[in-house]
Amino acid sequence: MLEQADRQRILTELASRLEAHPTLTAAYREVEPLILKAFGAARMSLFQRRRQHQDLVARFKTGKETREIKVPISPLSIAGYVAMAQQSVIINDPYDDEQLKQIHFRLRFDKKFDTASQFKTENVICVPVINAGVLMGVMQVINKAEGEFDSDDLELATRIAEMLGNKFRYELGGTKNPFDYLVHRGLIQQKALDEYCQSDNTRQIVQRLISEARINEDDIGEALSVHYQVPFIKFLPDNYNLHQGNSKLNLSYLKRNFVAVVSDVRENPVVLMLEPNNAALLMEIESALGIDSYEIAVSLPNHILQYLGETNAGAGPGEMDEILDEIGTSMEEDDDHSDEMAEDAPAVVRLVSRVLQDAKRLNASDIHIDPEKGAPTRVRMRVDGVIRDITQVPASHHSAVIARIKIMSGLNIAEKRVPQDGKLAFKMSGQPVEVRVATIPTVAGEGVVMRILATGGAMPIEKMNLMPETMTRLKEMIKKPHGILLVVGPTGSGKTTTLHAVLGYLNTPERKIWTAEDPVEITQPGLQQVQVSAKIGFNFAAALRAFLRADPDIILIGEMRDKETAHAGIEASLTGHLVLSTLHTNSAPETITRLLDLGLDPVNFSDACVGILAQRLIRTLCPNCKEKYTATADDFVFLRRQYGEEWFDELDIDENVQLHKAKGCEACGETGYKGRTGVHELLGMTNELRALVYKEASVTEMKDQAMKDGMRTLTQDAVRKVIKGDTDILQLQTLSGH
């Protein structure tokens, strides 16, 4: 329980935070923790009254389980009753029907939100937010940790509600006209605004406010948001892309009415409108799309047109939807020949260029062009390990797009029955970008998957996010003058990045290093890097034999795909060279049995092997918005189970361990995650493990021995990174399959 002086300090700080921000949206993330601290409570919600609907909507709330809470102004909910009666209430057991009846005979506690979120409301204080005699909304504080809400809490809540009402009267209560909020904030005089607003054309008003009154676009968007009581979304191509149903709507119709239907990163549809109160227009869009669940937001005319593809001419290949609009126009002009569009048609060339540049800008690892029978072709990209729909191409132009990609990759455009592999390159910001291309015939047509290859130099080994013990053991292994080190994991797990980080550490003037790769992705000065080519018979085994005649100290072989390459690698390591390579296996102990199954001699392999590093990539929490919390009992039990009872004490944590969770902000596209990091499993070859390899023991036996020798599994490493704050429980569950 906070003392009166502590509460006063919090109120003073609250007033300071409110003063520092022009809008409640901007202030809320700083304001909410202070209010919760003042009450010692778990959650709060700030409901706003919507006059046109006569209900309340929770615009600001703790927790993300429910996307939106709307309640009628009636006794059917606590917030609804407080808004109706404009009286504050304290309810110390909302599940007690008798307590509710004493307040109002019809008062009910709506349990559906608790049920949906698996959160139990234990006590509530709820006060109306009123300014100048007008109800703005309702503030609700939930679950006081110590004791029950009392009269002191009620007095405090009333003061906070008064502060919010005074500061954000317009934002909570709306404005009479779309741009009144600009006058309220002192950005323009009323007389000048009246002059601009003589026109009925909202787009012209916005343009004049920007060009003549010099008002920032964000301020105008905020004014429209306050007036229409919906969020303002500006042009954020990394966070929003056109919704797949947008193709059902005529592009000129959308541009004429300043409407765009976009999807957020969770693929939830959002209807962007310049005038969100246009109910007839909204109903037309809803009917055409066939959707009944969507968000509504306001945006500025030029931002909406940017989503729809309008951009400055000559600025690169053009925006995606401008290109699609051009393709659509060509289809309308010549329906009889629209399926014969040439692969060198300007729109197709620019479309492929735009896809490649968008992928690089989004830092995507892969591009998928997926045909579908009787439907538009889907263009999808894998960003931070998660595939996202980006856009759609009319089915009639699928063949032209595939042919264009094949021409760029040097593939046979006439052959559509068998898979083909190739490479293409393009420039972005003056830097070359290489792309590996694979075409695959499907029943709906040819599909294409393009892997964007890493560019630039090697990652420093210190940036690999290895745990300190693993880093120490790895450095000891690679300091040995000869032997073989394998980095293993599935496709796209960062094996090449890790190998080059190791080479970067070993790359000193006194060492001669040769690499054979397919393809050469990362380049380093001081390395002799060779591109293998199976088409001319120059495979990994042939490259390795050539290297042995070129006086190497260290050899990197891109992949041990077959017995011949594996055998040659073992022989090279036994004749005084350090050999690095990769393999597609699930764990370090499994790698040993895989190689023995290939026919390698157990004695030779165990003598040659210095270590096996298995790895995966998991999503990392956004550093801008990740939230710290104390682990729940279930979290702690899960961590203990995943790490293993036998080893858990070495973590030196208790039930009150601090973990982090995803929240979401503009920087991460509201996902809560940004980027990926590796989790690792390093097996070192010891005499005890070598003896097990000699007799070809089971994977389980070898794993048990490796753990006694100091190896920790991928899951255990992920547990450590959860505790460290790099990632969260959810990503650990994804990795471990729980």
Side-chain angles (χ1 to χ4, degrees):
M1 183 74 178
L2 288 176
E3 297 294 330
Q4 189 65 32
D6 294 327
R7 287 190 170 188
Q8 188 55 51
R9 273 196 295 273
I10 289 175
L11 282 174
T12 302
E13 187 176 354
L14 181 63
S16 173
R17 298 287 175 91
L18 292 175
E19 188 60 35
H21 295 281
T23 68
L24 183 52
T25 305
Y28 192 74
R29 283 190 178 168
E30 296 181 18
V31 164
E32 184 197 65
L34 284 173
I35 296 175
L36 293 178
K37 182 180 177 183
F39 292 98
R43 293 191 174 193
M44 70 170 286
S45 298
L46 189 57
F47 291 86
Q48 179 189 342
R49 178 188 177 190
R50 299 196 306 170
R51 284 181 175 77
Q52 61 269 44
H53 297 279
Q54 280 304 299
D55 65 2
L56 300 171
V57 60
R59 280 194 70 192
F60 305 92
K61 60 186 185 299
T62 313
K64 281 194 158 187
E65 296 88 349
T66 307
R67 280 175 60 201
E68 190 173 73
I69 299 175
K70 291 177 183 172
V71 296
I73 297 178
S74 76
L76 298 180
S77 69
I78 295 170
Y81 167 75
V82 168
M84 182 185 75
Q86 297 191 21
Q87 292 181 353
S88 303
V89 297
I90 292 176
I91 299 172
N92 282 311
D93 183 2
Y95 285 82
D96 182 352
D97 291 338
E98 288 303 315
Q99 187 182 155
L100 298 180
K101 283 181 182 177
Q102 289 177 12
I103 297 171
H104 189 282
F105 73 96
R106 289 179 57 212
L107 182 56
R108 299 285 182 272
F109 172 61
D110 194 340
K111 302 179 182 69
K112 70 182 178 187
F113 299 114
D114 273 14
T115 305
S117 64
Q118 299 178 332
F119 171 87
K120 184 167 184 199
T121 305
E122 295 170 352
N123 47 40
V124 180
I125 188 167
C126 195
V127 298
V129 180
I130 298 172
N131 183 269
V134 178
L135 177 73
M136 306 281 108
V138 167
M139 185 180 80
Q140 187 168 270
V141 182
I142 303 169
N143 288 8
K144 184 177 178 180
E146 297 180 12
E148 298 181 337
F149 286 113
D150 55 27
S151 57
D152 288 342
D153 292 318
L154 187 59
E155 182 184 344
L156 179 65
T158 304
R159 288 186 64 186
I160 291 173
E162 185 180 337
M163 291 168 70
L164 294 173
N166 287 340
K167 173 69 178 177
F168 302 118
R169 175 186 175 188
Y170 285 96
E171 199 170 353
L172 288 170
T175 56
K176 185 177 179 182
N177 297 305
F179 305 103
D180 285 354
Y181 193 55
L182 299 175
V183 177
H184 168 71
R185 289 186 53 201
L187 298 173
I188 191 172
Q189 296 296 316
Q190 184 67 56
K191 184 178 179 182
L193 180 63
D194 291 342
E195 183 183 331
Y196 290 126
C197 292
Q198 287 176 3
S199 168
D200 292 332
N201 188 318
T202 307
R203 184 190 189 187
Q204 286 182 3
I205 297 172
V206 170
Q207 287 176 333
R208 290 189 65 192
L209 288 171
I210 294 169
S211 60
E212 298 176 30
R214 304 292 184 186
I215 296 178
N216 187 284
E217 287 186 344
D218 288 352
D219 292 327
I220 296 172
E222 195 64 47
L224 293 173
S225 172
V226 167
H227 176 69
Y228 292 115
Q229 299 295 287
V230 295
F232 165 58
I233 294 177
K234 56 186 177 182
F235 183 59
L236 299 169
D238 290 354
N239 300 351
Y240 298 92
N241 54 75
L242 276 191
H243 186 261
Q244 57 186 6
N246 206 85
S247 57
K248 298 176 184 177
L249 299 164
N250 182 283
L251 198 57
S252 59
Y253 167 84
L254 293 171
K255 289 181 177 179
R256 188 169 62 251
N257 289 288
F258 298 109
V259 177
V261 186
V262 299
S263 294
D264 63 17
V265 290
R266 296 184 180 87
E267 298 303 323
N268 300 316
V270 183
V271 180
L272 292 185
M273 306 177 73
L274 175 59
E275 298 178 338
N277 62 344
N278 190 334
L281 180 60
L282 194 57
M283 287 174 65
E284 285 179 12
I285 293 164
E286 187 178 307
S287 174
L289 293 180
I291 57 173
D292 52 15
S293 176
Y294 55 88
E295 301 289 330
I296 302 172
V298 69
S299 192
L300 300 187
N302 58 324
H303 293 190
I304 291 172
L305 293 176
Q306 280 181 286
Y307 280 112
L308 295 175
E310 283 200 6
T311 187
N312 294 329
E319 291 299 329
M320 181 68 71
D321 294 288
E322 177 191 29
I323 300 165
L324 293 176
D325 189 22
E326 185 177 326
I327 288 175
T329 303
S330 71
M331 290 169 64
E332 291 169 11
E333 290 173 353
D334 193 355
D335 288 340
D336 294 336
H337 300 91
S338 61
D339 60 341
E340 298 174 7
M341 191 171 201
E343 65 275 357
D344 60 352
V348 172
V349 172
R350 291 193 298 121
L351 173 62
V352 173
S353 179
R354 180 77 267 168
V355 167
L356 292 168
Q357 295 210 12
D358 281 353
K360 185 62 179 172
R361 179 175 52 79
L362 291 170
N363 201 25
S365 58
D366 301 271
I367 307 166
H368 298 254
I369 300 186
D370 300 335
E372 296 190 12
K373 275 194 171 179
T377 294
R378 297 167 71 193
V379 178
R380 305 193 293 163
M381 297 180 189
R382 189 181 294 278
V383 181
D384 288 344
V386 179
I387 289 187
R388 290 165 48 178
D389 274 333
I390 298 300
T391 192
Q392 295 177 324
V393 177
S396 54
H397 294 72
H398 172 81
S399 296
V401 169
I402 300 301
R404 172 63 186 166
I405 293 170
K406 282 182 168 183
I407 288 171
M408 293 175 72
S409 313
L411 303 179
N412 183 354
I413 63 171
E415 181 56 77
K416 301 181 180 181
R417 299 165 299 171
V418 296
Q420 297 185 63
D421 295 307
K423 275 175 63 175
L424 64 84
F426 68 97
K427 281 193 173 184
M428 186 165 180
S429 302
Q431 297 298 314
V433 180
E434 288 196 327
V435 180
R436 192 161 55 194
V437 178
T439 69
I440 304 170
T442 75
V443 293
E446 279 188 288
V448 171
V449 178
M450 295 183 276
R451 161 68 56 87
I452 298 178
L453 305 179
T455 54
M459 174 189 289
I461 196 169
E462 291 76 17
K463 299 275 188 182
M464 284 175 54
N465 201 16
L466 288 164
M467 299 309 289
E469 317 90 272
T470 308
M471 176 71 82
T472 301
R473 293 175 62 230
L474 179 63
K475 285 183 175 178
E476 287 173 359
M477 291 174 188
I478 60 180
K479 282 176 184 173
K480 295 184 178 178
H482 56 82
I484 187 164
L485 174 77
L486 296 171
V487 179
V488 305
T491 301
S493 59
K495 300 186 295 294
T496 302
T497 302
T498 295
L499 280 176
H500 272 277
V502 170
L503 282 183
Y505 178 73
L506 295 171
N507 187 7
T508 55
E510 64 270 16
R511 290 190 176 105
K512 180 64 180 286
I513 302 174
W514 286 91
T515 80
E517 302 168 74
D518 182 23
V520 175
E521 297 184 45
I522 299 167
T523 56
Q524 295 190 56
L527 269 56
Q528 296 298 301
Q529 296 179 262
V530 173
Q531 169 80 52
V532 300
S533 175
K535 290 179 182 176
I536 59 173
F538 185 45
N539 57 17
F540 285 121
L544 186 49
R545 287 193 297 270
F547 290 169
L548 291 176
R549 298 191 293 271
D551 187 30
D553 293 301
I554 299 168
I555 299 170
L556 184 150
I557 297 297
E559 187 181 342
M560 288 194 166
R561 293 177 179 168
D562 49 48
K563 180 182 177 181
E564 184 187 8
T565 308
H567 182 74
I570 299 297
E571 291 297 317
S573 67
L574 290 172
T575 54
H577 307 94
L578 181 62
V579 178
L580 311 177
S581 191
T582 72
L583 207 64
H584 288 98
T585 55
N586 290 323
S587 69
E590 280 179 42
T591 305
I592 299 173
T593 58
R594 171 73 63 84
L595 288 168
L596 298 184
D597 288 345
L598 277 177
L600 292 184
D601 179 59
V603 175
N604 280 350
F605 172 71
S606 60
D607 287 347
C609 181
V610 296
I612 301 171
L613 179 70
Q615 71 179 56
R616 296 284 190 285
L617 292 177
I618 58 172
R619 300 177 81 186
T620 49
L621 293 168
C622 174
N624 290 329
C625 64
K626 65 180 181 181
E627 287 187 332
K628 186 179 280 192
Y629 73 102
T630 302
T632 65
D634 287 345
D635 288 342
F636 189 74
V637 169
F638 180 70
L639 292 176
R640 179 183 285 275
R641 186 169 68 247
Q642 292 301 308
Y643 202 82
E645 294 287 344
E646 183 180 353
W647 314 98
F648 190 72
D649 288 345
E650 71 188 23
L651 292 178
D652 193 24
I653 60 171
D654 58 24
E655 291 86 347
N656 297 317
V657 61
Q658 296 292 298
L659 305 179
H660 291 79
K661 60 184 176 182
K663 182 173 183 180
C665 65
E666 192 172 301
C668 61
E670 299 299 335
T671 62
Y673 300 97
K674 193 161 189 180
R676 291 187 291 173
T677 191
V679 291
H680 307 91
E681 174 179 291
L682 181 60
L683 175 150
M685 192 60 69
T686 61
N687 291 332
E688 293 80 8
L689 184 57
R690 202 168 271 122
L692 291 176
V693 177
Y694 287 166
K695 64 179 188 178
E696 298 186 43
S698 70
V699 172
T700 304
E701 289 178 283
M702 287 192 279
K703 177 183 175 184
D704 290 344
Q705 182 59 51
M707 292 192 68
K708 288 176 186 173
D709 296 336
M711 182 187 87
R712 292 298 174 262
T713 66
L714 293 164
T715 301
Q716 287 175 317
D717 194 52
V719 169
R720 287 178 170 239
K721 277 156 188 169
V722 169
I723 294 166
K724 186 181 167 197
D726 292 340
T727 189
D728 61 3
I729 289 276
L730 181 62
Q731 295 304 307
L732 173 59
Q733 291 171 334
T734 304
L735 178 74
S736 60
H738 289 76

